[in-house]
Amino acid sequence: RIATTAGDEHTGFVVDIGAFATTIRRVDNSNVAIPNSLFMHERIINWSRTPYRLFKTKVCIGMAKIDALECILDKIRERLEHVEGIVSRDERPLVVLASGFDSSANAQMCDDDYINIEVSAHLHKADIMTLSRVKSNIVNQIGLGMKDGLSTLSSAPTLTI
């Protein structure tokens, strides 16, 4: 699997290397011929030679939940530390952050009413089925971490008569 710095259209699995072009199969199963001259001028990443796989995902939470943001991030981190298949923190960092968020409550929005939470984790190199299960588990744990963090919000006072 290779990628260039030219963008997603040049990311895929090498199918054929010819004299003038290299054909790759993209994730959507389409074949793309890339002129070999591109490889002379762009940086190439050979993912099949790396010991880890990088998994990134983003989720959004509503601005109404901003009071629980730090707790949500902490709960997601706690849950992801126990996912089998993620490389240990000693080897590679696990990154969970709200992009653009700082203590002054400035946040980069997904939309006008949402905060963008980004998760990046390095996974152990494995077969595609194992990686798929690990990624699915990561997404599930992110959801549960968000639920745990949101449970810290105090509910609206109830009126008793």
Side-chain angles (χ1 to χ4, degrees), residues 11-33:
T11 299
F13 298 90
V14 176
V15 174
D16 182 52
I17 300 174
F20 301 103
T22 298
T23 303
I24 63 168
R25 182 176 34 87
R26 298 183 335 173
V27 175
D28 65 2
N29 218 21
S30 63
N31 286 336
V32 177

Side-chain angles (χ1 to χ4, degrees), residues 35-48:
N36 287 339
S37 61
L38 181 78
F39 296 113
M40 295 175 64
H41 303 290
E42 292 290 330
R43 186 172 58 109
I44 306 297
I45 302 168
N46 186 348
W47 289 111
S48 61

